[in-house]
Amino acid sequence: MNNDAVKKITFRVQRFDPEKDRKPHFQEFTVPVKRGTTVMEGLLYIKENLDSSLAFRTSCRMGVCGSCGMLINEYPHLACHTQVEEFHSDKLTLKPLPNMAIIKDLVPKLDTLFEHHKSVKPYIIREDKEEMEKPTAGYLQKPQQLDEYLQFTYCIKCGLCIAACPTSASDKAFLGPQALGQAYRYCADSRDEGQDFRYAIVEKDHAVWNCHFAAACSEACPKGVDPALGIQLLRKGVAAKALGIKKTAAPATLATPPALAKPKIDVPEFTVEPK
Amino acid sequence: MADKGPHQNYLGMWGWVWGGNYKLERYLYLLHRITGLGLLLFGLFHLTVTTIFRVQGEAIWSSTISFLDNPLFRVGEFLVVAAFSYHALNGLRLIIQELGFALGKPVPPIYPFTDAIRRKRAWTLVTLAAIMVLAVAFFIDFTVRGWG
Ligand code: HEM
Ligand code: SF4
Ligand code: FES
């Protein structure tokens, strides 16, 4: 294909206006695309030239913010991260992510995702409250300890995994692959001491034991997070703890506060006194 | 009148059935559920036949048996064995992997991304095939050819 050749593609977009419509319907637009045109660029073309009332979310346009998740030909993708060419088709069907409500057109209501995410305490918890409030230094961590959870830190809260999950499809209260994956991410962090709090949350109903491992979440995830692996490893921890055979390493220790650490090389003194 | 609020968009039970473009494991999940429910149905049917119909005397029992002795129920019986074999093997895999074993360790997400269940897929399938071959050999040796 010539790099500059323009081709006309039909975007079949699901529309829903809460002010007017009882239920969603489809509308077709013809969009010129070139090699490399993303689905998001097609949507922006429609908004700028054909119908300014079309609603969708976008912010970073580079697969980082997690705003633009939608179903493209019935599969969850980030619209900004997906090129029209990938589908080898003259027609693309765009729908909002399922397993959450629709606010308007392609804009899903992500509130439940964020509530579930917050409910698993997605932050480092330490018993030393004083140090948490007024940190004096960082915690020491080996590269191998970082590898235990690094993969799961890449989550951008886009909700594609929830759209792919058959349990989320029928159980609104299910915490979902995103939140459960993050529960594992913090429990596996050697700096964290909040495992017991999180286990108490995820061993309840609608949580870790409701996963049936269809692993569709890990397939759909655009950031390679593998939430399904996180869930099974979380389950291993919860089960081991219930059986009393869970090994828990001592939490990471504090690094020497920077003021006390001696530089390895000679660093010149400040010539201007800091205020 | 429009409902003037967000529109519910949960796939519900259709979300269990519809596997779309997802890969093998998504369909194994569906088949596990179907065979599980099928086995449950067969169990109820089997218990009904062997209790309610049996306790009513020999006449009713033999007419039930002759009614069931036709190709349709033979195919059904074959399906029950197939469903049980699948459900038991896949169930074994699920028990192991759903407790976090045989999945390996997390890897840094470097493009193109992979996931644990698919990195281990070949090993998993080979192990299950080996178990099945052993089970069939065991069955033929001890049941068909007799215990002696
Ligand atoms: C060796 C025999 C069996 C094994 C190893 C086994 C294993 C399993 C496992 C591990 C699950 C949970 C799967 C998941 O996480 O989704 C399951 C679900 C289920 N099983 Fe079995 N099972 C066996 C026999 C049976 C029998 C005989 C029946 C019928 C009465 C049955 C009916 C079901 C049903 C209805 C489900 C629920 C399906 C679902 O939630 O998707 N199973 N089985
Ligand atoms: S786990 Fe992946 S698919 Fe799910 S919200 Fe995070 S980045 Fe998106
Ligand atoms: S616009 Fe930010 S991920 Fe697509």
Side-chain angles (χ1 to χ4, degrees):
Chain A
M1 189 171 163
N2 177 346
N3 278 358
D4 295 327
V6 179
K7 215 174 136 191
K8 297 255 192 270
I9 295 274
T10 305
F11 273 43
R12 186 167 166 267
V13 185
Q14 181 172 315
R15 306 293 308 262
F16 171 75
D17 182 348
E19 307 267 294
K20 293 200 215 109
D21 303 332
R22 241 167 195 282
K23 55 181 206 293
H25 57 96
F26 283 96
Q27 190 179 353
E28 295 197 350
F29 301 96
T30 307
V31 179
V33 300
K34 290 193 295 195
R35 182 167 199 182
T37 301
T38 62
V39 175
M40 179 52 70
E41 284 168 330
L43 285 169
L44 291 166
Y45 175 87
I46 297 173
K47 198 165 173 73
E48 281 162 17
N49 301 290
L50 305 175
D51 186 346
S52 61
S53 73
L54 179 66
F56 53 88
R57 278 199 196 101
T58 172
S59 181
C60 69
R61 306 184 197 183
M62 51 191 274
V64 181
C65 71
S67 302
C68 65
M70 60 186 68
L71 285 190
I72 307 176
N73 286 359
E74 302 295 341
Y75 197 92
H77 291 278
L78 295 177
C80 70
H81 196 58
T82 308
Q83 298 184 7
V84 173
E85 230 187 340
E86 285 175 34
F87 297 92
H88 306 287
S89 161
D90 288 341
K91 190 167 185 172
L92 294 187
T93 302
L94 308 188
K95 298 207 275 186
L97 290 181
N99 306 339
M100 46 195 101
I102 306 171
I103 295 177
K104 197 181 175 206
D105 299 339
L106 298 174
V107 181
K109 197 167 178 332
L110 294 170
D111 302 35
T112 319
L113 183 160
F114 293 125
E115 276 159 29
H116 287 164
H117 176 64
K118 278 190 231 159
S119 79
V120 301
K121 302 184 190 288
Y123 39 81
I124 302 270
I125 299 174
R126 294 288 293 206
E127 275 157 20
D128 185 352
K129 296 270 177 314
E130 180 69 20
E131 180 64 26
M132 284 274 91
E133 293 299 326
K134 296 197 186 73
T136 54
Y139 291 104
L140 292 171
Q141 191 164 56
K142 295 190 180 114
Q144 299 89 306
Q145 293 172 319
L146 176 66
D147 284 344
E148 296 284 319
Y149 70 88
L150 179 66
Q151 174 168 32
F152 307 100
T153 65
Y154 286 73
C155 174
I156 57 172
K157 288 90 192 160
C158 62
L160 299 197
C161 51
I162 296 167
C165 174
T167 302
S168 295
S170 57
D171 181 358
K172 293 179 195 179
F174 180 50
L175 283 187
Q178 189 280 329
L180 290 170
Q182 292 309 297
Y184 179 73
R185 176 251 173 276
Y186 285 94
C187 289
D189 191 323
S190 65
R191 297 167 298 176
D192 180 78
E193 289 180 296
Q195 181 186 285
D196 290 354
F197 295 108
R198 287 189 210 96
Y199 280 11
I201 296 160
V202 301
E203 66 194 11
K204 290 205 192 108
D205 277 355
H206 309 288
V208 78
W209 297 105
N210 289 66
C211 165
H212 296 274
F213 207 11
C217 54
S218 296
E219 250 188 89
C221 178
K223 303 301 283 184
V225 169
D226 204 350
L229 174 63
I231 298 174
Q232 315 320 313
L233 294 177
L234 183 64
R235 192 144 46 184
K236 188 188 213 169
V238 172
K241 176 138 188 288
L243 295 173
I245 51 170
K246 175 117 179 71
K247 284 180 272 171
T248 309
T253 51
L254 269 182
T256 319
L260 303 179
K262 272 205 207 106
K264 291 202 177 81
I265 50 166
D266 262 344
V267 182
E269 291 293 318
F270 282 110
T271 46
V272 181
E273 277 297 310
K275 279 189 196 150
Chain B
M1 250 302 288
D3 48 5
K4 297 229 176 200
H7 183 77
Q8 287 310 323
N9 192 22
Y10 286 84
L11 294 176
M13 276 168 67
W14 175 243
W16 304 353
V17 180
W18 189 78
N21 274 338
Y22 295 104
K23 298 194 191 98
L24 180 68
E25 286 74 11
R26 177 67 181 72
Y27 285 88
L28 296 185
Y29 152 88
L30 176 59
L31 198 56
H32 196 84
R33 189 155 285 192
I34 293 171
T35 52
L37 294 173
L39 289 173
L40 195 63
L41 260 174
F42 166 77
L44 291 172
F45 175 75
H46 183 69
L47 284 178
T48 312
V49 171
T50 51
T51 53
I52 297 172
F53 286 79
R54 195 161 189 170
V55 294
Q56 296 180 72
E58 205 184 326
I60 297 206
W61 175 242
S62 353
S63 66
T64 311
I65 289 296
S66 58
F67 171 73
L68 293 179
D69 188 17
N70 70 43
L72 192 71
F73 285 99
R74 290 209 162 265
V75 172
E77 237 167 24
F78 175 79
L79 284 181
V80 168
V81 173
F84 183 84
S85 312
Y86 170 76
H87 190 93
L89 276 175
N90 191 50
L92 192 67
R93 169 185 77 89
L94 286 173
I95 290 169
I96 295 167
Q97 292 190 324
E98 287 189 347
L99 286 172
F101 298 101
L103 284 172
K105 282 176 166 287
V107 297
I110 294 167
Y111 201 81
F113 305 133
T114 59
D115 51 27
I117 196 170
R118 272 152 293 252
R119 283 196 295 276
K120 296 285 173 199
R121 187 195 274 165
W123 278 112
T124 314
L125 295 183
V126 166
T127 312
L128 290 184
I131 293 173
M132 191 152 89
V133 169
L134 286 177
V136 170
F138 184 85
F139 178 76
I140 292 173
D141 222 30
F142 286 90
T143 315
V144 180
R145 286 177 31 198
W147 293 88

